[in-house]
Amino acid sequence: MRIRIDNIECRNSQGRYEIVKWYPNRYYGREEAMIAEGYERGTNTDGSWYLEKDWFKVHQSCFVNEESCYTIATLKWDADEYCNELVSVGPRLLDLSKEEQGAFFEVYRYAEDRIKQENLEEDED
């Protein structure tokens, strides 16, 4: 399940539901420009690469996607209460703009209903 409104999304990641905020990735498409700025390519022991300058490293994965995200909150199904427990990551929910808060609660409302339906269907099986 994925529900996204504007830059707020609920998704299932690593076996749990989380609500994330997407933002523009400042490294996307900048690999060549950073090399021109003096960054040098290095290689990790796992074979992946990075760009480094003045002890600052940027992993190769940072150049791939136009957006990055961070978790605002997680949703955990409570079978006894038949609802989700919302757990905010620090004050991140409070740091959202008014528009983002509106999108957050709309995404949360849809996610609550869908997760509840998924779990009720599992209980019937």
Side-chain angles (χ1 to χ4, degrees):
M1 174 196 68
R2 285 185 110 115
I3 301 167
R4 182 169 176 170
I5 299 173
D6 298 328
N7 65 335
I8 306 297
E9 178 183 52
C10 181
R11 65 185 187 174
N12 191 324
S13 178
Q14 300 174 0
R16 65 180 183 169
Y17 288 100
E18 59 184 13
I19 300 178
V20 299
K21 177 181 175 179
W22 289 96
Y23 60 93
N25 176 3
R26 67 182 180 161
Y27 299 110
Y28 176 73
R30 293 217 356 107
E31 177 185 346
E32 295 304 320
M34 290 177 72
I35 291 171
E37 293 169 7
Y39 283 80
E40 295 181 1
R41 185 183 299 263
T43 305
N44 292 309
T45 56
D46 65 0
S48 63
W49 57 268
Y50 58 87
L51 295 183
E52 179 179 24
K53 180 180 175 183
D54 301 328
W55 299 99
F56 180 76
K57 292 182 181 182
V58 181
H59 189 268
Q60 73 181 50
S61 63
C62 295
F63 299 101
V64 176
N65 299 310
E66 289 185 48
E67 293 181 303
S68 293
C69 69
Y70 60 87
T71 302
I72 301 168
T74 57
L75 297 171
K76 181 180 176 190
W77 178 250
D78 184 332
D80 294 330
E81 297 292 331
Y82 291 100
C83 66
N84 286 295
E85 179 180 346
L86 175 74
V87 179
S88 177
V89 177
R92 291 180 182 175
L93 179 54
L94 301 174
D95 294 339
L96 298 176
S97 69
K98 293 283 186 202
E99 294 80 19
E100 291 169 335
Q101 287 177 7
F104 176 91
F105 284 107
E106 194 170 350
V107 166
Y108 177 32
R109 185 175 300 111
Y110 287 127
E112 174 71 23
D113 290 343
R114 284 178 113 183
I115 296 168
K116 181 183 285 187
Q117 188 62 38
E118 286 176 11
N119 282 282
L120 292 176
E121 287 172 3
E122 285 179 12
D123 288 347
E124 291 174 1
D125 290 340

